[in-house]
Amino acid sequence: MVRVDGLRHAFGSRQVLAIDRWQVDRGEAWLVRGASGSGKSTLLHVLAGLLRPSAGRVEIDGQDIGALSDRQRDALRGAAIGIVFQNLHLVPSLTLRQNLSLAPLMAGLPSASAAIEQRLARLGLGRRGDDRPAQLSRGEMQRVALARALINRPKLLLADEPTASLDDVNTDLVATMLIEQAAEVGAALVVATHDARIAPHFAKALTLS
Amino acid sequence: MTLFEVGYAYWRHKRLAAALTVLLTALGVAIATAALGLAEQLTARAARDARGIDLVVGAKGSPLQLILSAVFHADVPTGNIALGEAETLQRHALVRFAIPLALGDSVGGFRIVGTTPDLIAHYGGPMASGRMFGSSMEAVLGAEAARKLRAGPGDQFIGAHGMAEGGPAHHDHPYEVVGVLAPTGTVLDRLALTPIESVWDVHAAHQGPAPEREITALLIGYRTPLAAASLPRQINTASRMQAASPAFEIARLAALMGGGLDALRGLAAVLLAAGALAMLAALVAALDERKTDIAVMRALGASPGRVMRLILGESFALAAIGAVLGLAFGHGALAAIAWQAPGAALDPWMPIAEEGWIAVLAMALGPAAGLWPAWRVYRQDVARTLSEG
């Protein structure tokens, strides 16, 4: 699903990411760990096609994203990649239902009303589709952000620091939910974190230095 | 969900900013609509009132005042002319018709005009009720005068000296209303018409019989267009009377008023530009607030073009709402003017020739104001915004 060869990325003269070889197969769940500034978020941005790597080759679902045009990378991201942001970034002016609808709309995919209702119900938010993000707790927002990332049934799910500012119980819940939900849609999962508490949930880990 | 719903949800969330932006655009469109509508309708009304009248002859003085008093009944006359001299002119070979007018009194702000049935026939005013006046102190009321005075056939009214309400009243000489005219959309609607003898009788009773009978003016139609070259000059040089051309004086008046109308048009243009700037400011502020939302949309797969379309669509929608509201406000302002000044005989809901262009300009200013914010969206560094947000 993900194949990385000789990846390097730099901001100006400062190199922030170096991975010689790394591969994530379909359905695998990986933890990417490292201290702050080790390039975890940069790696997720490169995998999402939001950053073009300075050097090396990154293949997502068999496509070399460095060789894709901007439009092709946008299309790949919309159709095949789901992202859960560290700050969740739900759109405050939209209801939960509309936040979930945003994913197919922006990816240019058919609307997925039935899937949205189903996913809201699965996450225990079936009656709250018309609420806005400001009416939710942090844990509820986390579930909506995950639902939005999964609504297009991506092949690759990326999560950036998903357990930041959560207590131990919720950290376990979120890690379990990420792995279960990714497995349910058949997506490979890559979670970037410096939170050692979720390490036991993952059999595979990449450590950045 | 559609892109429209995404934009609508945001601006509904930001109602105050949206309302202010729309209102500023609407204000510019409203002022432009009202100013141009007023100019268009006043010009059309002036043309209707002066239709078919080639020359106005009256006492020497200001030619514009003569036209304003004898054609539009909007000023005091320049004086009177001798009936004998007027009758000589009525028989002139170059004159096709000459309608005499005797002015001086009014009722409830509506001018009493001593004349002949030819004046009514000239404007094509059919009787709505009653009959044409026949003898002294009988009167036929124009449609608006009858409505405002709440008078009809069989009623009486008292004339007062001068144009304004409250002048010395001629209580011993009541007029009897014998007929009411149907609306004509001309100055006739706002007049009380009576035989010239009525005016003479009323004033003879107050001032004593005049040594020589007088009238105020003659409305003249030429027998041939060639008359325009010689008749006014003959009158102005070889008589005690003055001849003035309505067409010429209206053009002069329009030139005088033109500066004011241009100033109004300029003000409207400035307000439209201010509306566009307000929209630019609102969109830039909105974009700063939404840059994370927009980065999320990009991260969800939206191309920069799709997000640009969202911003441009929002600015167009705000401008379009402002334009439609502005047109409604503009016509509403005309309705208020028409209510305040019924003499202007405005039709506030009549479409204005230029309003389509005003609306198109206002709607175009919206996306124009949205171009720069949309370009900033296009250039946005999505990864950095998501990391910082």
Side-chain angles (χ1 to χ4, degrees):
Chain A
M1 184 64 221
V2 176
R3 185 186 297 272
V4 172
D5 269 318
L7 170 63
R8 300 286 183 273
H9 193 74
F11 293 116
S13 58
R14 188 169 63 92
Q15 181 170 295
V16 294
L17 181 63
I19 301 174
D20 291 330
R21 187 173 291 271
W22 182 46
Q23 183 168 325
V24 178
D25 290 330
R26 198 172 297 273
E28 285 185 342
W30 277 78
L31 192 67
V32 177
R33 58 190 173 195
S36 291
S38 61
K40 301 185 299 295
S41 294
T42 303
L43 172 62
L44 291 196
H45 289 154
V46 169
L47 296 179
L50 294 170
L51 279 179
R52 202 182 283 271
S54 307
R57 182 181 175 91
V58 177
E59 278 182 23
I60 304 290
D61 199 24
Q63 299 187 66
D64 178 2
I65 60 168
L68 298 178
S69 68
D70 289 346
R71 185 174 290 270
Q72 287 169 325
R73 279 189 296 146
D74 289 337
L76 175 68
R77 189 165 58 247
I81 302 170
I83 310 170
V84 181
F85 306 102
Q86 179 176 356
N87 290 330
L88 307 179
H89 293 322
L90 299 178
V91 178
S93 58
L94 300 180
T95 63
L96 304 191
R97 193 172 280 115
Q98 288 172 326
N99 263 285
L100 264 58
S101 298
L102 207 55
L105 175 69
M106 291 301 154
L109 299 173
S111 66
S113 306
I116 287 167
E117 297 307 324
Q118 196 178 23
R119 196 152 287 282
L120 280 172
R122 291 284 302 277
L123 293 171
L125 296 167
R127 292 185 176 184
R128 305 197 60 184
D130 291 327
D131 284 357
R132 291 179 201 285
Q135 297 169 266
L136 303 185
S137 68
R138 171 81 186 179
E140 288 168 330
M141 283 199 276
Q142 194 111 32
R143 282 183 268 162
V144 176
L146 175 59
R148 183 178 64 186
L150 291 171
I151 208 72
N152 291 344
R153 301 187 73 83
K155 293 174 180 169
L156 173 62
L157 178 62
L158 307 172
D160 191 7
E161 302 285 4
T163 56
S165 73
L166 292 182
D167 58 25
D168 291 349
V169 174
N170 278 306
T171 295
D172 271 348
L173 279 174
V174 166
T176 305
M177 189 167 63
L178 275 169
I179 291 168
E180 284 178 0
Q181 298 280 321
E184 187 184 305
V185 298
L189 172 66
V190 175
V191 174
T193 187
H194 68 277
D195 185 352
R197 294 175 298 172
I198 64 170
H201 291 272
F202 292 85
K204 295 174 182 285
L206 171 70
T207 302
L208 300 178
S209 55
Chain B
M1 195 167 66
T2 61
L3 272 185
F4 174 82
E5 286 171 279
V6 175
Y8 174 74
Y10 175 75
W11 289 104
R12 202 180 66 163
H13 197 59
K14 295 284 165 190
R15 290 182 191 92
L16 184 61
L20 289 176
T21 306
V22 163
L23 271 180
L24 262 173
T25 306
L27 199 59
V29 172
I31 288 181
T33 304
L36 294 174
L38 198 59
E40 190 177 293
Q41 292 206 31
L42 288 181
T43 306
R45 207 204 84 186
R48 278 199 307 276
D49 288 350
R51 184 184 58 204
I53 299 169
D54 296 317
L55 200 65
V56 178
V57 176
K60 286 198 187 294
S62 157
L64 179 58
Q65 187 183 347
L66 176 61
I67 300 296
L68 288 175
S69 64
V71 177
F72 303 115
H73 298 279
D75 203 349
V76 293
T78 49
N80 286 331
I81 57 176
L83 178 64
E85 237 182 336
E87 285 175 339
T88 305
L89 186 58
Q90 279 179 302
R91 292 190 294 273
H92 195 287
L94 293 175
V95 171
R96 183 166 56 87
F97 70 81
I99 303 169
L101 305 178
L103 311 176
D105 293 345
S106 64
V107 51
F110 296 102
R111 177 166 272 175
I112 297 171
V113 179
T115 185
T116 65
D118 291 345
L119 181 67
I120 296 170
H122 175 77
Y123 287 111
M127 299 297 297
S129 62
R131 61 173 175 80
M132 180 59 65
F133 56 73
S135 56
S136 178
M137 304 316 294
E138 289 185 344
V140 166
L141 297 178
E144 189 185 327
R147 187 170 58 84
K148 287 286 166 62
L149 296 172
R150 295 181 179 175
D155 291 333
Q156 290 193 333
F157 67 83
I158 303 294
H161 199 69
M163 283 272 284
E165 289 183 68
H170 304 298
H171 287 290
D172 47 348
H173 280 80
Y175 287 87
E176 184 191 351
V177 179
V178 296
V180 173
L181 296 170
T184 60
T186 68
V187 69
L188 213 55
D189 296 346
R190 301 181 299 284
L191 299 179
L193 302 144
T194 185
I196 290 177
E197 288 77 9
S198 310
V199 179
W200 288 336
D201 291 347
V202 169
H203 290 95
H206 282 260
Q207 298 157 2
E212 187 182 18
R213 285 255 155 114
E214 290 179 326
I215 61 169
T216 308
L218 278 176
L219 306 180
I220 287 176
Y222 295 143
R223 188 170 298 284
T224 159
L226 294 174
S230 58
L231 191 58
R233 200 177 58 228
Q234 273 180 35
I235 294 167
N236 285 329
T237 56
S239 78
R240 289 179 293 164
M241 301 181 294
Q242 170 190 214
S245 157
F248 179 79
E249 295 304 326
I250 289 170
R252 206 157 67 91
L253 187 62
L256 284 173
M257 289 169 59
L261 286 174
D262 285 345
L264 267 179
R265 286 193 185 103
L267 178 64
V270 168
L271 279 170
L272 279 177
L277 282 176
M279 189 170 298
L280 176 63
L283 289 170
V284 168
L287 192 68
D288 281 344
E289 193 184 77
R290 294 163 82 192
K291 64 182 180 186
T292 306
D293 297 353
I294 286 170
V296 168
M297 293 177 201
R298 292 289 324 281
L300 290 172
S303 64
R306 182 177 287 258
V307 182
M308 274 182 84
R309 280 204 299 282
L310 173 69
I311 302 295
L312 292 176
E314 288 175 10
S315 56
F316 174 77
L318 289 173
I321 295 168
V324 171
L325 273 182
L327 291 179
F329 289 168
H331 284 282
L334 281 176
I337 294 170
W339 184 69
Q340 280 286 322
L346 298 173
D347 178 358
W349 308 112
M350 191 166 81
I352 297 159
E354 290 157 296
E355 71 186 295
W357 286 110
I358 297 170
V360 167
L361 178 67
M363 288 183 202
L365 281 174
L371 272 177
W372 184 52
W375 176 247
R376 287 180 60 188
V377 164
Y378 195 86
R379 306 261 302 171
Q380 185 174 0
D381 183 338
V382 177
R384 175 179 289 184
T385 306
L386 289 172
S387 299
E388 291 170 351

